[in-house]
Amino acid sequence: MTTPERRRAVRVERPILVRYRGLKQTSWSVSPLKDLSRGGARFVGEATFEPEELLELVFGLPLFTEPVQIAARVVWQRPAFPGSLPLIEYGVVFTSLDPVIERTLEEAV
């Protein structure tokens, strides 16, 4: 039995590095995005975040000379490689987007 797709937007693989941190953290972590959409992203990281936790993400987008900073909320998390590396895979949804950034995301994916 397959699970129905819950995403509102198509996600595509993009080789983009993302800097991320929880709102209470002062230091950033870096990881490659696994996929990206106009409404969210998926990445693997070492930090531990719980569902509903708010994050800051910073990454580059086509046509932007500077990286963009985007607020996101953790929707789900799971072990990225069960039984081996202690990495967590996260699915996040963007919580507020500047209209220009949202249009650029739509064009990028």
Side-chain angles (χ1 to χ4, degrees):
M1 177 179 226
T2 61
T3 304
E5 179 63 50
R6 295 184 305 177
R7 295 181 184 133
R8 294 182 193 146
V10 174
R11 290 189 180 205
V12 296
E13 291 183 24
R14 286 285 183 231
I16 299 172
L17 286 179
V18 61
R19 287 189 313 143
Y20 60 93
R21 68 179 176 185
L23 294 184
K24 298 176 186 174
Q25 296 177 317
T26 57
S27 62
W28 295 89
S29 296
V30 178
S31 177
L33 288 176
K34 291 191 83 170
D35 59 39
L36 176 68
S37 77
R38 68 177 175 82
R42 182 170 56 117
F43 65 94
V44 173
E46 295 178 4
T48 303
F49 303 112
E50 296 299 322
E52 303 302 318
E53 191 166 346
L54 298 176
L55 307 177
E56 293 177 86
L57 306 177
V58 176
F59 54 87
L61 286 175
L63 307 177
F64 279 73
T65 56
E66 298 292 322
V68 297
Q69 186 165 343
I70 298 176
R73 178 176 48 83
V74 175
V75 178
W76 56 264
Q77 56 131 296
R78 64 179 172 228
F81 306 102
S84 74
L85 299 174
L87 297 174
I88 307 293
E89 183 176 40
Y90 294 99
V92 299
V93 63
F94 303 142
T95 57
S96 62
L97 286 176
D98 175 280
V100 173
I101 294 173
E102 186 171 18
R103 277 193 305 277
T104 302
L105 280 168
E106 287 176 8
E107 292 171 10
V109 298

